[in-house]
Amino acid sequence: MIYREAGEFKSTYQADQAIFPIRQDRWFILAILAIAFIVMPLVGSDYWLGTIMLPFLILALAALGLNVLTGYAGLLSLGTGGFMATGAFAAYKLATMFPGLHILAVLIMSGLITAGVGILFGIPSLRIKGFYLAVATLASQFFLIWMFNKFGWFTNYSASGVISAPPMTIFGDIYVTGPQATAAAKYLFVLAVVAFLALMIKNLVRSNMGREWMAIRDMDIAAEIIGIKMLSTKLKAFAVSSFLCGIAGALWAFIYTGSVEPAAFDINRSFQILFMVIIGGLGSILGSFLGAAFITLLPIFLSNAPHWFGMNIPVDMISHIESMVFGALIIFFLIVEPHGLARLWQIAKEKLRLWPFPY
Amino acid sequence: MPHIERNVLYTIGGAIVLMTLLPWILGKVVPNQVFFEWPYFFEVAIGGLLSGVMYSLVALGFVLIFKASGVFNFAQGAMVLFAALTLVGLIDLGVPIWASIILTLGVMVILAFAIERVVLSHLVNQEHIILFMATIGIAYFLDGFGQTLWGSDVKRLDLGLPNSPIKLFDGALLVNEFDLIAALIAGVLVISLALFFQYTRIGRALRAVADDHQAALSVGIPLKHIWVIVWSVAGLVALVAGIMWGSKLGVQFSLSLIALKALPVLIIGGFTSIPGAIIGGLIIGAGENIAEVFIGPLIGGGITDWFAYMLALVFLVFRPQGLFGEKIIERV
C-alpha cells in the first residue's frame, strides 16, 4: 500500500530517466539525507559523530570504490588498502607542498593521482582475470605500502614514517582538519563529500560506461564481440574505483585519524572493505553503505557486549572471539543471502509492494 | 601429457640460462664488486630454493582443493596455523610427539568434515567468488578459534630435527641441514600425492570431480566424500607445513600469513598443477632471495614483501594461466 508505483505515470523523458524514478524512493532518500545532515549533528554526541559515523562514511566510500570494480565490472581486487594509502600520501604531499591549496582541490587531485596509479596496476587485468587477478592486485597492495614505508620523501622525512594532516578550512574559517576542527564540522564535510560522490556513482553506473562494465562482468567475451573495448572499459573501472578509494584514504588520514602510518592501510583493510562489499551486496550502491555500517558497527558491538552482561574477558581473548564471530557471520551471511544486505532490502520492497494482499 | 613435459623442459632451460646470466648481470649492476662472489651467490640461491620448497608446501594445499573442487581456499594459511597450534598444544599437555601428530591429523579430518557439512554443502552451485569469500570466513574463524583454544603467545615447536649448517666444498657453501630435511619431506609428500592422484581409485575419482562435477556425479562418484577427502589431505599438507614452518619460526599468528607467500607461487605454477606448485615455489624462493640480497640494497631493502608478487605479475602478462596451468579456452 505504502510502496506502490502503480499510478505514477511519467509524461516526460526527464521524469522517466530520473535517478530515483519512484516517488517513494525519492522521499526515502530525502528523508535519509535530512536525518544525516540535520538531525545527526544536532542529536549525535562527539563520540557518535567522530568515532562511529566518520569511519563508517569513509569506509563506505572505499567500499563504493571497490564495488565499482568488483561488483559492477567484475574485477576482483584485494588492493584497496594500497589505493587508500596512495590517496592519503598524495593528499599529504599536496597539502604540504602547496600550503594554500583548498582541501577540496587536495582531495580531487589526490583522487586523480590514485586513479593514475590504479590504471597502472589495472593494466594486467587485460590478460588475466578471476583469482589470478585478485592475487595480482595483491602486488599493488604490498608494493605501495612498502614504498610509502621505505622512501622518506612521501612522509617529508619524518622519523616515524607517520603523516599528520595540516589544519585546513572550508568557507574561509571552518576548520575540518587539525585540532581545532569540531566533530560536527568534520562529520558534515565528510558526509557532503560522500553523499555527492555516491550520487555521482549512482548516476554513472546507469550510463553507457556502467552498462559496459556490467556487460564485461556478465560475460566478457560476449561483451567484446558486441564491440565493447576491453582495455579502455576495464581501465576506466580501475580509474573510477581507485579515484574513490584515494579520496577515502585521504579523508581517513586527514579528517578521521588526523595522522596515519602506512600500516593503517595494510592487507586487513583491503579485506575489511571486501567484506563490506560482499555482505552489503555486489553491484549495489546502497549495499556499500549497508555493508560498511554492518562491518564498522559489529566490532564496536562485540567489544562492548561482554560488559553489558557483566563479563570480564581479557582484551586479546576478545579480539580472538571477535575474529571468530566475524568469520562465522561471514559464512552465515553467504549461506543465507549470498547477494548481501542490499538484496534483503530489495526483497523487503517487493513484499511492501504487495503488502496488505500478498499472493 | 606432452605439453607439461615441454613446460618442464622450458622451465629447466630457462632456469639454467637465468642462473648463468643473472650473476653476470648482477656483477655489472651492483656497484660494489667485492660484494659479489660466486660461492656466495650460490649459497643465496640454494637458501632461496630450500625456502621455496617450504612455500610449495603451503601452495600444495591450495592446489589440491582448487583441483578437486574449484574452490580457491584462502583458509590454507589458517589451517597451517591451526594444525601447528593444535600440535604444540597437545605436546604441551604431555602427549607424546607421535601421538600428538596422529591426534592433530584426526582433528584436521574432523575439521574437513565440519567444513563440508557447515559451509560447502550449503554453497553448492554458488559463484566462485562466494565460495572464495566463504573460505576467508573460515580463515578468520580458524585464526580466532585456534588462538582462543591455545593462546596467542609464540610457542616453540621442537621435534628434534637437526638445525646446523652443513659445509659443502670445503666451507665455501653453507647449507642449513633443517632446510634440506624440509625439502626432502616436501619431495616425498609431493611424489606420494602425485602417485595417489594417478594410481588409486580415490585419486581417479578426485580427477574426475576436478574435470566435471556433474559428469562425476552422474557416474556415481559421491561429491561429498570427495570434498571431505580433499580437505583432509589439505589438512595433512597443512600439518606438515605447520611442523616445518613452526619449528623454523615458532608457532605464532604470522604462520597464517605464509599463505600470502604461497599465492604468487600458485600463479606462477598454475592453480591446478601439483608440479607447478613445486616449480613455482622454487622460482619464487630463489628469485626472492637473490633479489633481496643483490638488488634489495640498491632500492632500500625489505623487498621480499612484494617482489614475489611483482615477479608473478610480470609473469602473468606473458603466460596468463601460469606455467603448468591448463590453457584457458574461452568461447561464448
Side-chain angles (χ1 to χ4, degrees):
Chain A
M1 208 68 131
I2 310 163
Y3 191 86
R4 180 161 304 165
E5 70 260 54
E8 285 185 38
F9 301 112
K10 277 102 189 170
S11 49
T12 59
Y13 284 117
Q14 278 82 359
D16 199 35
Q17 292 174 348
I19 300 184
F20 301 103
I22 299 170
R23 197 186 301 134
Q24 289 88 338
D25 280 348
R26 278 199 298 276
W27 289 343
F28 181 73
I29 289 289
L30 278 177
I32 293 272
L33 284 178
I35 291 171
F37 273 102
I38 299 163
V39 181
M40 273 303 285
L42 289 178
V43 299
S45 63
D46 276 8
Y47 174 75
W48 254 95
L49 293 180
T51 324
I52 293 174
M53 288 310 285
L54 269 186
F56 155 64
L57 284 171
I58 295 171
L59 291 176
L61 184 61
L64 199 59
L66 184 63
N67 220 336
V68 165
L69 194 62
T70 305
Y72 284 99
L75 304 164
L76 184 56
S77 164
L78 297 173
T80 323
F83 294 136
M84 284 178 79
T86 310
F89 280 82
Y92 176 70
K93 278 313 274 190
L94 286 168
T96 48
M97 266 178 171
F98 312 103
L101 217 54
H102 193 267
I103 182 155
L104 284 176
V106 169
L107 284 182
I108 291 169
M109 280 162 76
S110 56
L112 290 176
I113 290 171
T114 317
V117 175
I119 289 175
L120 208 62
F121 279 101
I123 291 172
S125 71
L126 186 67
R127 294 224 42 192
I128 56 184
K129 52 183 92 171
F131 296 123
Y132 286 96
L133 181 65
V135 176
T137 52
L138 277 174
S140 67
Q141 169 74 46
F142 289 120
F143 178 75
L144 290 169
I145 300 296
W146 171 84
M147 190 173 78
F148 296 129
N149 260 325
K150 215 72 201 177
F151 297 107
W153 184 81
F154 292 107
T155 55
N156 287 350
Y157 302 99
S158 93
S160 54
V162 173
I163 55 170
S164 42
M168 294 175 104
T169 57
I170 49 166
F171 302 128
D173 57 347
I174 304 171
Y175 280 96
V176 288
T177 70
Q180 293 106 311
T182 61
K186 287 179 179 180
Y187 165 76
L188 281 175
F189 178 72
V190 170
L191 180 65
V193 171
V194 173
F196 173 75
L197 286 173
L199 275 180
M200 211 178 79
I201 296 300
K202 175 92 187 162
N203 216 358
L204 192 69
V205 294
R206 309 182 315 142
S207 71
N208 203 10
M209 204 194 274
R211 286 200 301 276
E212 283 177 356
W213 289 340
M214 287 185 262
I216 282 190
R217 172 192 67 187
D218 292 341
M219 197 170 197
D220 50 355
I221 303 284
E224 205 170 5
I225 288 169
I226 60 169
I228 292 170
K229 288 193 183 64
M230 211 55 121
L231 179 67
S232 64
T233 310
K234 282 185 173 177
L235 290 186
K236 268 185 240 164
F238 264 96
V240 172
S241 159
S242 36
F243 178 79
L244 297 177
C245 291
I247 289 185
L251 289 176
W252 185 273
F254 269 41
I255 297 185
Y256 174 48
T257 53
S259 67
V260 72
E261 53 180 345
F265 301 112
D266 65 354
I267 176 94
N268 287 324
R269 179 76 58 210
S270 300
F271 275 124
Q272 191 188 20
I273 290 161
L274 183 64
F275 288 152
M276 290 174 184
V277 172
I278 300 276
I279 287 184
L282 281 165
S284 155
I285 306 286
L286 176 74
S288 312
F289 284 88
L290 293 178
F294 187 80
I295 298 282
T296 42
L297 292 180
L298 183 66
I300 296 172
F301 171 76
L302 285 179
S303 55
N304 284 327
H307 294 295
W308 298 337
F309 299 111
M311 281 187 283
N312 230 343
I313 302 175
V315 178
D316 63 329
M317 188 72 117
I318 286 184
S319 78
H320 299 326
I321 291 176
E322 196 179 297
S323 110
M324 266 171 75
V325 174
F326 224 71
L329 269 175
I330 287 162
I331 295 169
F332 173 79
F333 254 99
L334 290 175
I335 290 172
V336 175
E337 187 46 85
H339 298 287
L341 294 169
R343 174 85 186 122
L344 290 180
W345 171 239
Q346 209 180 333
I347 292 171
K349 282 205 296 192
E350 272 156 29
K351 289 251 189 298
L352 272 180
R353 220 168 267 185
L354 304 170
W355 167 52
F357 310 111
Y359 307 126
Chain B
M1 279 178 273
H3 74 276
I4 285 193
E5 282 157 24
R6 204 174 59 219
N7 287 340
V8 172
L9 283 181
Y10 281 163
T11 317
I12 295 171
I16 292 171
V17 172
L18 210 69
M19 285 302 221
T20 42
L21 276 182
L22 206 63
W24 181 79
I25 298 168
L26 285 173
K28 296 276 177 215
V29 174
V30 176
N32 188 354
Q33 290 288 330
V34 193
F35 182 55
F36 187 83
E37 281 172 356
W38 277 98
Y40 182 52
F41 174 80
F42 280 117
E43 196 180 310
V44 170
I46 289 173
L49 285 176
L50 291 175
S51 60
V53 173
M54 308 265 278
Y55 295 151
S56 309
L57 267 180
V58 183
L60 207 58
F62 277 103
V63 171
L64 282 174
I65 289 180
F66 192 81
K67 223 172 140 65
S69 54
V71 178
F72 184 96
N73 176 27
F74 193 81
Q76 189 64 29
M79 279 164 71
V80 171
L81 173 69
F82 186 73
L85 275 174
T86 312
L87 182 66
V88 175
L90 287 172
I91 291 175
D92 284 351
L93 287 178
V95 184
I97 287 176
W98 59 269
S100 12
I101 290 180
I102 293 171
L103 275 177
T104 311
L105 207 56
V107 170
M108 297 313 281
V109 173
I110 295 170
L111 183 72
F113 256 108
I115 288 174
E116 201 278 328
R117 256 301 141 78
V118 179
V119 186
L120 294 179
S121 63
H122 294 286
L123 291 173
V124 179
N125 264 342
Q126 291 289 354
E127 292 155 52
H128 284 310
I129 185 175
I130 302 290
L131 285 162
F132 166 64
M133 282 300 301
T135 64
I136 297 182
I138 296 173
Y140 267 69
F141 184 82
L142 275 185
D143 277 346
F145 186 56
Q147 293 185 82
T148 313
L149 273 185
W150 305 110
S152 52
D153 41 338
V154 184
K155 295 177 201 62
R156 259 171 53 82
L157 175 62
D158 191 6
L159 295 184
L161 294 172
N163 194 3
S164 53
I166 304 177
K167 289 182 179 146
L168 296 176
F169 305 114
D170 303 329
L173 265 175
L174 287 177
V175 175
N176 198 329
E177 201 175 346
F178 177 81
D179 290 343
L180 272 181
I181 292 175
L184 198 71
I185 291 176
V188 170
L189 196 64
V190 169
I191 292 170
S192 44
L193 281 177
L195 291 178
F196 174 72
F197 261 86
Q198 204 64 39
Y199 292 113
T200 63
R201 214 179 128 79
I202 296 172
R204 267 203 303 280
L206 286 176
R207 277 182 293 144
V209 172
D211 271 352
D212 191 334
H213 284 194
Q214 294 203 329
L217 270 173
S218 63
V219 295
I221 295 169
L223 208 54
K224 265 181 161 177
H225 296 182
I226 295 299
W227 278 354
V228 173
I229 290 170
V230 170
W231 281 78
S232 305
V233 175
L236 163 75
V237 175
L239 175 62
V240 175
I243 291 174
M244 290 302 149
W245 282 103
S247 4
K248 200 172 168 134
L249 305 174
V251 177
Q252 53 179 322
F253 178 70
S254 66
L255 277 190
S256 75
L257 301 179
I258 289 167
L260 294 176
K261 269 279 149 67
L263 295 181
V265 171
L266 279 177
I267 47 181
I268 285 193
F271 280 158
T272 50
S273 160
I274 291 180
I278 301 301
I279 307 262
L282 294 179
I283 294 174
I284 292 282
E288 188 177 85
N289 226 19
I290 292 170
E292 176 67 44
V293 172
F294 295 105
I295 304 172
L298 298 181
I299 51 170
I303 64 174
T304 41
D305 281 349
W306 54 266
F307 180 80
Y309 282 94
M310 281 297 182
L311 196 67
L313 199 58
V314 172
F315 199 90
L316 278 182
V317 173
F318 295 103
R319 209 181 151 78
Q321 73 274 33
L323 210 50
F324 299 94
E326 284 147 28
K327 185 130 186 73
I328 306 161
I329 300 167
E330 284 176 306
R331 54 170 84 93
V332 178

